[in-house]
Amino acid sequence: MRESQHRRHRSFNERMMLFLMTVTILFPIQQFLFLHYYYYYDGGLNNSLPVATVVLRPMKKDTIEHEKKSHLETKRTSSDNIDNDDHSFLTMYGSHRALDSIKKLPAWLQNYIKWHRDQTQNASNDTKYVVITCMPKDGFCGGLSDRLRPLPFLLLFASQVPRVLCIHFLKPQSLENFLLPPSNGLDWRCPPEVASLLDESKETAKQPIIRAYNIDRCNSKNQIVPCAQTKIDYMRKDDGKYLSIKLVSNDVASINKALYLFQRHSYVDRMPSLDNWAFVDLMGDIFRVMFEPITPLAIRINQTMAQLGLVENHYSSVHTRCRYPVYPAARHQGKQVDKEGGLLFVNKTKDALIDIMENAINCAHQLDPHLPIYFASDHDDATRYMITHDTHLNSTQYIRPVGINRKEEPLHMGNLEESHEHKAIDYFSIFEDLLIIGGSKCVAHGVGSFGSFGAAITGNRCRAIHRKFNGALVKCPNDRALKRLVPITEPILYGQNTQNTANLVADLQGIG
């Protein structure tokens, strides 16, 4: 009897132990399934958009704590639709990408970044700066991509003086309202006192305290090497704590000359060619060393990519410039629509733009037929049409891109008329499109530098150009985005050989 009771008691204990072990194992699984449903299907609190799969990269046990620290949270504000539990971590940008990007840069630039970091972290009265400005009274700074396209050359210039490069844009908004430096990257923010030393009622060239140098103007020929050397020599002797620099000629050809000088310092024997609005191939790594989106913008990108089902390197992007150039079909509207906006998506203009946009979709599809396509443009009606209509690839195949259905036409940062009329959040769409395009595997873009900027952030590794310089469409496949190597024959600054041969020559093996 006692033995039977003992067996029943032992059996009961074993069953309880088995029950507790089962609960211990199944409870975390149940929690995971609940949360997975809650965020990905039900939408979480207030039916907010789900957290994008782009923020979740595979984690090993030894990196889990690091990943947790990398996720940031933000509080809801009245100016944006952000929920408390949404994360701003993006795999595409941030300190986790900056270190790898630094290693891919030429030796002279790596050395400058290290020197720059030492100078900014140990700043004193002896620290000297070179400031890139865009003041409210400056006639034309260009849009975001036009301003940042010469950045590789400006880094080279600053490294030769040497001075700490910093960026102070006030028109239409401070760049810090959209982008910030990664914690382990190059901190391009100017010291707070710079704002008090600049007179907003005067243009950069006429500032009374911070002297301005036009670095591509020195003689009748204005050749980039002698002009840059002349201004570097002047600045080496200038005791001013803050000096500003500017490329007076911001046309495509002049900027390309400056960028070719950057490339001559960065490659050996041969370098990639530059076409029209092209950015240098290294711009993607330079960008990730210098910039990441502010938290509200990162969350917005995160939500958009989740809603559209986009994961880094698993989609292609298309950018179409609808408002530029104003080809004959749109001139009858009698408007300056490039930067000011207001282009009517009707009649002949609509027909012409649909042809251009559908051709762009075909170009992106040919780059990788297996990928979904993100579509962006500078016109809300045009984008809305493309993401709600199928684009026919041939008689039996069609594709419908995804994109953001915005209620208003995207703003242009180079519009002189609207600089004081809008808040920073009104320009978020510019950065949202750019940074999503920058996470693509492939990019098809047309005229203007914006789409080219997005392709450069991807490394220019897979792109197509779907329009000519004059705006006319070009069928794909074509060779307009073909990478070619050109020999390095022209001089570099001071005849110095500052390039590092090992890693960059290897990167050129697949070109031309």
Side-chain angles (χ1 to χ4, degrees):
M1 180 68 124
R2 292 181 179 177
E3 184 177 351
S4 175
Q5 290 177 345
H6 179 71
R7 284 198 302 268
R8 286 198 299 269
H9 180 71
R10 185 176 58 187
S11 177
F12 174 78
N13 288 342
E14 290 174 348
R15 287 197 300 270
M16 284 299 297
M17 182 65 70
L18 180 61
F19 171 76
L20 291 174
M21 291 176 63
T22 303
V23 170
T24 302
I25 294 171
L26 292 180
F27 181 74
I29 298 175
Q30 180 267 338
Q31 286 290 90
F32 169 79
L33 292 174
F34 170 78
L35 292 173
H36 180 77
Y37 172 83
Y38 183 71
Y39 281 109
Y40 283 82
Y41 296 96
D42 186 54
L45 288 171
N46 302 321
N47 292 321
S48 61
L49 292 175
V51 178
T53 53
V54 71
V55 307
L56 303 175
R57 48 182 183 154
M59 293 186 292
K60 298 179 180 179
K61 290 183 178 179
D62 59 349
T63 63
I64 290 178
E65 290 303 318
H66 171 74
E67 294 300 323
K68 288 180 179 178
K69 294 177 182 178
S70 298
H71 285 67
L72 303 175
E73 294 184 353
T74 186
K75 295 182 179 180
R76 187 175 184 131
T77 67
S78 59
S79 61
D80 48 41
N81 297 319
I82 299 171
D83 290 324
N84 292 343
D85 293 332
D86 288 336
H87 295 298
S88 64
F89 177 82
L90 295 171
T91 62
M92 304 179 292
Y93 311 101
S95 58
H96 57 287
R97 297 293 296 269
L99 186 59
D100 184 57
S101 287
I102 290 174
K103 296 176 182 178
K104 296 178 182 178
L105 297 175
W108 70 263
L109 186 47
Q110 291 188 40
N111 291 335
Y112 177 67
I113 292 170
K114 181 179 179 181
W115 177 85
H116 188 286
R117 184 184 297 128
D118 181 69
Q119 292 291 309
T120 54
Q121 292 179 350
N122 301 283
S124 67
N125 290 332
D126 295 327
T127 306
K128 295 184 178 180
Y129 298 81
V130 57
V131 187
I132 304 173
T133 63
C134 179
M135 300 297 293
K137 294 299 181 180
D138 284 341
F140 180 68
C141 302
L144 174 67
S145 53
D146 288 335
R147 296 183 201 183
L148 295 184
R149 197 164 86 92
L151 184 57
F153 164 75
L154 298 176
L155 288 166
L156 172 65
F157 185 93
S159 73
Q160 290 285 317
V161 178
R163 279 177 176 259
V164 173
L165 180 142
C166 70
I167 301 174
H168 188 75
F169 291 163
L170 292 182
K171 188 169 73 172
Q173 295 282 336
S174 170
L175 192 59
E176 290 93 325
N177 287 334
F178 312 101
L179 302 172
L180 290 173
S183 59
N184 56 352
L186 186 149
D187 191 344
W188 47 266
R189 295 170 296 183
C190 295
E193 67 174 332
V194 169
S196 63
L197 299 176
L198 288 169
D199 185 347
E200 294 188 24
S201 68
K202 300 181 185 299
E203 60 187 271
T204 297
K206 297 180 179 180
Q207 290 293 322
I209 298 178
I210 297 181
R211 285 181 292 279
Y213 283 82
N214 297 326
I215 55 181
D216 57 342
R217 288 287 184 267
C218 65
N219 54 41
S220 59
K221 294 183 179 180
N222 290 322
Q223 295 173 316
I224 188 65
V225 170
C227 286
Q229 288 183 174
T230 298
K231 299 307 169 68
I232 289 170
D233 291 341
Y234 283 145
M235 293 180 72
R236 285 173 175 173
K237 300 174 183 178
D238 196 318
D239 291 330
K241 184 177 180 67
Y242 300 102
L243 304 173
S244 69
I245 57 174
K246 181 180 180 180
L247 281 170
V248 176
S249 301
N250 60 356
D251 59 280
V252 172
S254 297
I255 293 178
N256 283 351
K257 290 180 181 178
L259 293 178
Y260 268 127
L261 178 55
F262 163 84
Q263 296 206 135
R264 293 200 294 273
H265 277 263
S266 304
Y267 295 92
V268 176
D269 297 330
R270 298 183 300 168
M271 59 186 174
S273 60
L274 295 171
D275 56 82
N276 296 330
W277 290 280
F279 286 68
V280 298
D281 289 353
L282 293 170
M283 187 62 185
D285 290 310
I286 292 173
F287 185 90
R288 286 180 171 83
V289 169
M290 295 184 66
F291 304 108
E292 65 177 350
I294 64 170
T295 297
L297 180 59
I299 292 174
R300 178 162 159 171
I301 294 169
N302 210 339
Q303 293 174 329
T304 297
M305 294 184 71
Q307 184 183 37
L308 300 179
L310 301 176
V311 179
E312 182 186 8
N313 288 326
H314 292 280
Y315 62 95
S316 293
S317 289
V318 165
H319 182 262
T320 301
R321 193 81 153 81
C322 295
R323 287 148 43 182
Y324 173 83
V326 184
Y327 38 84
R331 288 177 184 165
H332 70 279
Q333 296 182 14
K335 298 179 179 180
Q336 296 293 327
V337 297
D338 176 15
K339 299 173 179 63
E340 294 80 357
L343 177 68
L344 301 179
F345 189 64
V346 296
N347 304 327
K348 293 182 178 180
T349 301
K350 180 178 180 179
D351 293 339
L353 286 175
I354 290 174
D355 287 343
I356 290 171
M357 293 186 294
E358 289 184 341
N359 178 64
I361 295 294
N362 271 274
C363 288
H365 178 74
Q366 291 181 35
L367 289 173
D368 193 325
H370 304 291
L371 296 179
I373 295 174
Y374 174 74
F375 183 88
S377 79
D378 58 351
H379 200 289
D380 56 324
D381 290 335
T383 299
R384 187 176 303 110
Y385 178 90
M386 292 305 294
I387 63 177
T388 56
H389 290 78
D390 296 331
T391 295
H392 289 271
L393 305 171
N394 50 51
S395 59
T396 60
Q397 291 182 303
Y398 62 87
I399 188 172
R400 182 176 297 188
V402 298
I404 304 172
N405 190 353
R406 296 190 173 102
K407 297 179 180 179
E408 296 180 349
E409 201 172 19
L411 300 177
H412 193 292
M413 294 190 74
N415 185 357
L416 301 179
E417 301 300 324
E418 60 188 19
S419 296
H420 303 288
E421 298 177 5
H422 297 279
K423 298 178 181 179
I425 196 171
D426 297 329
Y427 294 91
F428 269 24
S429 61
I430 298 172
F431 294 85
E432 184 177 20
D433 280 338
L434 177 69
L435 297 180
I436 291 177
I437 294 173
S440 311
K441 177 184 177 182
C442 300
V443 179
H445 66 86
V447 294
S449 57
F450 187 85
S452 182
F453 193 3
I457 296 177
T458 72
N460 286 334
R461 65 183 185 272
C462 175
R463 71 180 182 127
I465 300 177
H466 59 77
R467 294 174 79 181
K468 294 181 180 179
F469 193 81
N470 62 5
L473 68 82
V474 183
K475 295 288 185 180
C476 292
N478 61 61
D479 63 354
R480 300 184 68 81
L482 181 65
K483 288 188 177 183
R484 299 179 178 87
L485 290 177
V486 295
I488 297 178
T489 58
E490 297 185 37
I492 58 177
L493 294 173
Y494 301 102
Q496 298 171 357
N497 188 349
T498 61
Q499 58 264 51
N500 179 23
T501 65
N503 51 3
L504 287 181
V505 171
D507 290 343
L508 292 175
Q509 298 305 311
I511 304 177

